[in-house]
């Protein structure tokens, strides 16, 4: 019997699609949802399932930013063949994405037992939601929002990319929340910080999903729930990306900060009263 049913896969796909790129922690919301549905959050197959359906959300990024990705990859290819093309920002940016992904890959492989074990606790999720809110609030006020996407450099990419480690180790912190906050601290505009978060998340999340695929199938999750959950995640994530980019162009992150605090406090309450088990 599959560890996750088709109906549960649909629900989890919706949650993943809505929250993956919003700075509210997709992992945290998935764990809360799994807990409410009676799914063991630290089960190996469940952890693998949630990593795989992230690929649906990443596919939505690939489709939404297809023209940008083609432009960047084309510049990278031209730069490999022609030294004069290597001064182009898009060529440099392609390498920056590669370099910025290395830290999270190293930490992810080294800390895998902790990530899938003690750090998967809902107590960690609740605390990370609230602590991460403080970082977002401070970053939004600290940043001067004056630098655009073309003003980014290797330092920006490395710092923003490395900040993904916070969300990797502390589910609930939010990968997008950590990367966007770091971008704001570096004085990037909100839209520029958000787009950089998207691009830097592509290799890390895709790699994690593909790496976990064998565990998801081999550990008790049928192919059908995986396919359905991933497809639902793709459709919902595409709409979520479009909405977020329009939202951050005109609004601060205050609404997300308040929401995260409410969810974190609520989760502490559910855990403390025994409604949910860590």
């Amino acid at each position: 019997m599959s560890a996750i049913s088709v109906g549960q896969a649909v629900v989890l796909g919706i949650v993943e699609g809505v929250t993956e790129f919003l700075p509210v922690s997709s992992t945290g919301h998935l764990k809360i949802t799994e807990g409410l549905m009676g799914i063991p959050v630290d089960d190996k197959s469940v952890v693998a399932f949630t990593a795989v359906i992230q690929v649906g959300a990443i596919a939505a990024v690939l489709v939404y930013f297809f023209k940008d990705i083609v432009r960047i990859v084309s510049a990278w290819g031209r730069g490999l063949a022609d030294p004069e093309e290597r001064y182009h920002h898009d060529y440099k940016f392609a390498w920056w994405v590669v370099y910025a992904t290395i830290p999270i890959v190293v930490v992810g492989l080294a800390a895998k037992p902790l990530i899938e074990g003690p750090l998967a606790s809902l107590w960690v999720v609740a605390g990370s939601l609230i602590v991460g809110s403080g970082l977002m609030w401070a970053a939004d006020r600290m940043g001067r929002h004056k630098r655009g996407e073309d003003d980014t450099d290797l330092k920006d990419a490395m710092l923003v990319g490395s900040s993904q480690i916070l969300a990797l180790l502390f589910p609930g912190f939010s990968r997008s929340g950590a990367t966007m906050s770091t971008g704001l601290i570096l004085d990037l505009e909100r839209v520029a910080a958000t787009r950089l978060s998207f691009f830097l998340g592509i290799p890390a999340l895709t790699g994690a999903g593909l790496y976990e695929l064998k565990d998801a199938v081999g550990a008790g999750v049928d192919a059908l729930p995986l396919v359905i959950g991933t497809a639902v995640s793709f459709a919902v994530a595409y709409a979520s990306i479009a909405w977020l980019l329009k939202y951050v162009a005109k609004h601060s992150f205050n609404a997300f900060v308040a929401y995260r605090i409410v969810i974190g406090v609520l989760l502490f309450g559910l855990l403390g009263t025994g409604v949910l088990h860590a």
Side-chain angles (χ1 to χ4, degrees):
M1 182 177 179
S2 177
I4 296 177
S5 69
V6 170
Q8 291 171 332
V10 171
V11 173
L12 293 175
I14 293 173
V15 173
E16 164 64 22
V18 170
T19 62
E20 179 60 52
F21 300 111
L22 300 185
V24 297
S25 175
S26 61
T27 302
H29 280 74
L30 285 168
K31 289 183 179 298
I32 292 171
T33 305
E34 290 162 359
L36 291 174
M37 291 193 297
I39 300 172
V41 299
D42 58 349
D43 184 276
K44 183 178 180 180
S45 63
V46 175
V47 173
F49 175 86
T50 57
V52 172
I53 64 173
Q54 286 179 333
V55 176
I58 291 300
V61 173
L62 295 175
V63 173
Y64 192 90
F65 292 107
F66 181 74
K67 291 182 179 179
D68 295 289
I69 294 171
V70 169
R71 187 190 76 244
I72 293 169
V73 173
S74 297
W76 180 76
R78 292 194 303 271
L80 292 178
D82 184 355
E84 293 185 2
E85 292 288 336
R86 296 173 189 174
Y87 295 98
H88 197 286
H89 184 271
D90 285 340
Y91 171 81
K92 296 177 182 178
F93 184 78
W95 279 114
W96 297 344
V97 172
V98 174
Y99 300 149
T101 302
I102 294 174
I104 192 173
V105 171
V106 173
V107 174
L109 293 175
K112 193 170 186 287
L114 287 174
I115 295 168
E116 296 181 352
L119 293 178
S121 168
L122 288 177
W123 287 108
V124 176
V125 171
S128 299
L129 277 165
I130 295 175
V131 173
S133 298
L135 173 63
M136 287 184 60
W137 181 85
D140 208 11
R141 281 151 184 77
M142 184 186 305
R144 291 177 286 179
H145 315 293
K146 67 176 185 178
R147 300 173 58 209
E149 192 172 343
D150 291 337
D151 297 322
T152 54
D153 54 25
L154 175 59
K155 182 189 74 172
D156 297 323
M158 291 302 297
L159 290 174
V160 173
S162 296
S163 70
Q164 297 178 101
I165 294 173
L166 287 172
L168 181 68
L169 296 178
F170 306 105
F173 208 98
S174 170
R175 187 202 63 82
S176 57
T179 52
M180 290 178 194
S181 296
T182 303
L184 292 178
I185 292 173
L186 294 170
D187 294 331
L188 293 178
E189 299 169 346
R190 291 190 183 95
V191 172
T194 301
R195 284 173 59 88
L196 184 59
S197 172
F198 286 143
F199 289 128
L200 290 177
I202 291 173
L205 292 178
T206 301
L210 295 177
Y211 181 81
E212 296 284 3
L213 180 58
K214 65 181 186 306
D215 292 334
V217 176
V221 178
D222 292 340
L224 184 59
L226 275 175
V227 172
I228 290 177
T230 303
V232 171
S233 172
F234 168 84
V236 177
Y238 189 92
S240 179
I241 292 168
W243 177 83
L244 179 61
L245 286 171
K246 292 180 180 179
Y247 181 86
V248 298
K250 299 180 180 180
H251 301 85
S252 71
F253 289 129
N254 287 345
F256 296 120
V257 170
Y259 174 79
R260 289 169 57 101
I261 292 174
V262 170
I263 294 298
V265 171
L266 176 62
L267 182 54
F268 271 127
L270 293 173
L271 291 169
T273 57
V275 175
L276 287 180
H277 298 287

